[in-house]
Amino acid sequence: MWKLKVAEGGSPWLRTTNNHVGREVWEFEPDLGSPEDRAEIEKFREHFTKHRLEQKHSADLLMRYQLSKENQGISILPQVKIHDNEVITEDSVATTLRRALSFYSTLQNHDGHWAGDYGGPMFLMPGMNSDGGWGLHIESHSTMFGTALSYVTLRLLGEGANDGDGAMEKGRKWILDHGSATAITSWGKMWLSVQ
């Protein structure tokens, strides 16, 4: 099971002046969690896999699940419903603010910061679109910049021309169908020359 480790160091190569506050690293530990925890995580994985082209972000479900287990003593107040033409009282405002504070307290890490997914820009977590290309960010349509750079990077990292369960063929086809890598933007040409 994946676990978000927060404010942890330990490597002789990693130095800190703030005791690693705000540092977030995901690590895989196969025997972590109860069978119920692993089943819940498997549901998240299956849902993401099934809907990855409609909802590309993970919605931080793994992190939220882990933090809800770590911050169990916090209860979230019931929602205040105010109908049309109803007077908003000081008590309803205070209850709503307390509800917001308790909700965000369940998502707070032990070192005091709030973690979050930063997987949008394609240089962090590229995901192939259904047309076989990659975009500039996770919600983007396919672009020559995203596709050519992702394809070349994967090849440099050791993926073969026919690897990836058809992904490499789809990427290459997208590039060729859209004018080849020569149609990449000028800054893309610069990056390709660096690679």
Side-chain angles (χ1 to χ4, degrees):
M1 192 165 91
W2 286 96
K3 177 173 177 57
L4 179 63
K5 296 197 173 186
V6 176
E8 293 184 23
S11 167
W13 302 104
L14 186 62
R15 295 190 176 100
T16 180
T17 58
N18 69 352
N19 202 25
H20 302 288
V21 170
R23 181 172 186 260
E24 304 169 18
V25 177
W26 284 99
E27 288 187 4
F28 184 74
E29 297 179 17
D31 300 325
L32 183 69
S34 67
E36 293 81 17
D37 289 336
R38 289 195 291 274
E40 192 67 24
I41 298 301
E42 182 63 18
K43 284 183 199 173
F44 296 155
R45 189 195 65 75
E46 287 173 0
H47 182 271
F48 178 76
T49 301
K50 185 176 179 183
H51 299 284
R52 74 174 190 84
L53 295 175
E54 300 96 52
Q55 180 184 353
K56 297 181 181 185
H57 284 281
S58 67
D60 293 330
L61 292 178
L62 293 178
M63 180 200 71
R64 289 172 185 267
Y65 183 76
Q66 177 182 326
L67 291 175
S68 71
K69 298 289 232 174
E70 293 173 5
N71 298 327
Q72 283 188 344
I74 302 166
S75 61
I76 298 175
L77 299 170
Q79 186 177 11
V80 175
K81 298 278 189 182
I82 298 176
H83 304 286
D84 291 339
N85 300 323
E86 188 175 340
V87 175
I88 300 172
T89 65
E90 186 175 326
D91 187 49
S92 63
V93 171
T95 300
T96 301
L97 291 172
R98 281 190 206 94
R99 175 181 159 80
L101 288 171
S102 62
F103 171 77
Y104 282 107
S105 294
T106 65
L107 300 177
Q108 191 171 18
N109 286 291
H110 65 84
D111 71 344
H113 89 284
W114 285 269
D117 179 21
Y118 189 63
M122 293 310 284
F123 58 87
L124 295 173
M125 297 279 288
M128 180 178 268
N129 290 327
S130 59
D131 65 358
W134 286 269
L136 188 57
H137 57 83
I138 200 164
E139 296 290 338
S140 171
H141 63 281
S142 297
T143 64
M144 186 59 73
F145 181 81
T147 304
L149 291 182
S150 293
Y151 181 83
V152 169
T153 300
L154 287 167
R155 292 301 308 273
L156 288 172
L157 289 171
E159 285 294 313
N162 300 315
D163 290 348
D165 296 326
M168 297 305 289
E169 292 98 327
K170 287 179 186 176
R172 183 174 54 252
K173 181 177 181 339
W174 193 97
I175 292 168
L176 294 173
D177 288 350
H178 291 84
S180 81
T182 58
I184 199 168
T185 59
S186 59
W187 34 294
K189 289 177 178 145
M190 187 275 302
W191 278 113
L192 286 174
S193 69
V194 170
Q195 288 185 335

